[in-house]
């Protein structure tokens, strides 16, 4: 009944189906009906009226993602899409955001509590330039990961329309926080920035850099909200990170003049120490520019 209704009502503007237990089959049926509705609009020579789809907590998973991606790509009229907590994994996320890329008027995207990892994050980063009107982006609790998080953050730099950004609990590390400080320089309309639960110290220079970037835009750093639940990197993970330190640096050490062995050479700084020093310099320079 719902499928028949949706496929024929070309004037439908808002569709809200929250917590209905649709599952993969139900979700695919709904999405297929939306494609039929778009075809009917085309037959009647008019643009689709549907601009808002809310379909959270429906266990859509990856199985329903292709149908919704096809529906999004066909409609091209969407301004608001909310699909949180659907158990959608990276492959499904990539399909969804690729389908949404054709909706150039998209202003609100909420995919909270699905699973992106690197591949889903890369797809989102590629799609972000398509949404020149984007104001609200919620990808909290999405396991973007350190590299995926940085990809998304760097892509935010070109979305100056953003007002609300949720990046909570995504395993974003200090390099991602530094990249965010750079992206924030163009986000002059920002009203809310959620970063809690990531993997950098709330008292670090990276956070100071973020606050300085906000100050440069005359934005109060209160918009950051709480940083009370930041995740610590374990000793094992820190050792793994250090072991991945540039092989080039190690090779350079090996090919140094043997004569240097007899000289009193101070211990080279680790990558993390160098990063902290660079950050401290950046924070100091920015504070001087802002007369803080």
């Amino acid at each position: 009944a719902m499928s028949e209704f949706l496929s024929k009502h070309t004037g439908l503007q808002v569709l809200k189906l929250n917590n209905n237990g649709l599952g993969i089959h139900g979700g695919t049926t709904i999405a297929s009906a939306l494609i039929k509705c778009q075809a009917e609009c085309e037959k009647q020579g008019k643009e689709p009226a549907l601009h808002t789809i809310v379909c959270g907590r429906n266990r859509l998973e990856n199985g329903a993602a292709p149908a919704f991606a096809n529906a999004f790509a066909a409609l091209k009229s969407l301004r608001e899409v909310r699909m949180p907590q659907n158990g959608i994994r990276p492959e499904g996320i990539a399909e969804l955001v690729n389908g949404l890329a054709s909706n150039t008027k998209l202003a609100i995207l909420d995919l909270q509590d699905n699973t992106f990892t690197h591949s889903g994050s890369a797809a989102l980063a590629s799609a972000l330039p398509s949404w020149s009107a984007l104001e609200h982006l919620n990808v909290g609790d999405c396991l973007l990961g350190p590299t995926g998080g940085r990809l998304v953050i760097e892509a935010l730099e070109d979305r100056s329309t953003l007002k609300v950004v949720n990046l909570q609990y995504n395993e974003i590390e200090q390099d991602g926080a530094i990249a965010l400080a750079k992206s924030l320089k163009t986000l002059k309309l920002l009203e809310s920035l959620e970063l809690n639960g990531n993997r950098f110290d709330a008292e670090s220079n990276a956070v100071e850099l973020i606050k300085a970037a906000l100050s440069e835009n005359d934005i109060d750093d209160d918009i950051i909200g709480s940083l009370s639940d930041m995740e610590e990197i374990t000793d094992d993970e820190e050792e793994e990170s250090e072991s991945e330190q540039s092989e080039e640096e190690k090779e350079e050490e090996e090919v140094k003049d043997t004569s240097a062995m007899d000289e009193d050479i101070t211990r080279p700084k680790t990558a993390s120490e160098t990063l902290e020093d660079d950050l401290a310099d950046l924070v100091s320079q920015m504070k001087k520019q802002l007369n803080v």
Side-chain angles (χ1 to χ4, degrees):
M2 175 68 79
S3 174
E4 185 177 354
F5 171 83
L6 291 175
S7 63
K8 293 180 179 178
H9 283 70
T10 58
L12 183 68
Q13 297 181 41
V14 178
L15 177 63
K16 294 185 178 182
L17 294 170
N18 256 333
N19 201 19
N20 297 115
L22 295 177
I24 294 172
H25 178 69
T28 300
T29 300
I30 295 297
S32 298
L34 295 178
I35 293 174
K36 290 178 182 177
C37 182
Q38 189 278 334
E40 184 63 26
C41 287
E42 191 172 307
K43 184 179 177 181
Q44 296 178 19
K46 62 181 184 181
E47 296 294 322
L50 187 62
H51 58 73
T52 297
I53 293 178
V54 180
C55 193
R57 301 184 68 185
N58 273 301
R59 302 196 302 272
L60 299 178
E61 303 178 2
N62 276 6
F68 271 100
N70 290 335
F72 295 159
L75 286 165
K76 298 182 176 65
S77 58
L78 297 172
R79 299 199 298 269
E80 178 176 351
V81 174
R82 297 181 186 267
M83 301 182 73
Q85 296 180 313
N86 271 300
I88 304 171
R89 298 189 61 78
E91 299 83 359
I93 291 294
E95 290 189 89
L96 288 180
V97 296
N98 288 337
L100 280 170
S102 62
N103 294 264
T104 56
K105 295 180 181 178
L106 188 70
I108 298 173
L109 178 59
D110 181 355
L111 294 173
Q112 183 170 13
D113 203 9
N114 291 290
T115 304
F116 281 55
T117 67
H118 180 86
S119 58
S121 301
L124 176 60
S126 296
L128 275 166
S130 303
W131 305 320
S132 58
L134 191 66
E135 296 182 359
H136 182 125
L137 177 64
N138 185 352
V139 287
D141 302 273
C142 284
L143 195 64
L144 303 183
T147 57
R150 181 160 183 168
L151 286 175
V152 172
I153 284 168
E154 289 174 345
L156 296 181
E157 186 175 9
D158 296 324
R159 289 282 60 85
S160 60
T161 51
L162 279 166
K163 295 180 180 178
V164 176
V165 177
N166 185 346
L167 295 168
Q168 289 187 118
Y169 298 96
N170 274 311
E171 297 189 354
I172 296 169
E173 296 181 357
Q174 185 161 263
D175 63 332
I178 298 167
L180 179 59
K182 181 176 183 292
S183 291
L184 286 175
K185 293 179 181 180
T186 62
L187 307 187
K188 299 181 184 296
L189 303 178
L190 204 61
E191 297 172 359
S192 176
L193 176 63
E194 297 292 343
L195 297 171
N196 204 15
N198 283 299
R199 309 180 75 179
F200 51 90
D201 194 329
E203 304 298 325
S204 68
N205 282 325
V207 174
E208 289 300 312
L209 204 57
I210 289 170
K211 291 179 178 179
L214 291 172
S215 179
E216 191 173 358
N217 288 337
D218 294 322
I219 300 174
D220 197 307
D221 60 33
D222 285 348
I223 71 163
I224 296 174
S226 172
L227 296 176
S228 62
D229 195 26
M230 303 303 280
E231 184 182 346
E232 292 184 7
I233 300 178
T234 65
D235 291 341
D236 289 343
E237 289 169 328
E238 195 165 0
E239 286 175 10
E240 183 180 345
S241 177
E242 288 183 1
S243 70
E244 291 173 356
Q245 190 179 352
S246 172
E247 287 297 326
E248 292 179 3
E249 290 181 6
K250 293 180 181 179
E251 288 173 7
E252 286 175 9
E253 288 293 326
E254 290 173 2
V255 298
K256 276 185 179 178
D257 240 344
T258 52
S259 60
M261 298 291 292
D262 300 324
E263 298 177 12
D264 183 16
I265 303 176
T266 57
R267 178 182 65 83
K269 292 181 180 179
T270 65
S272 59
E273 288 172 337
T274 302
L275 182 57
E276 279 296 332
D277 288 348
D278 291 345
L279 268 176
D281 290 341
L282 281 170
V283 171
S284 177
Q285 291 170 18
M286 189 163 283
K287 285 184 174 181
K288 285 179 181 178
Q289 292 173 3
L290 296 171
N291 296 318
V292 176

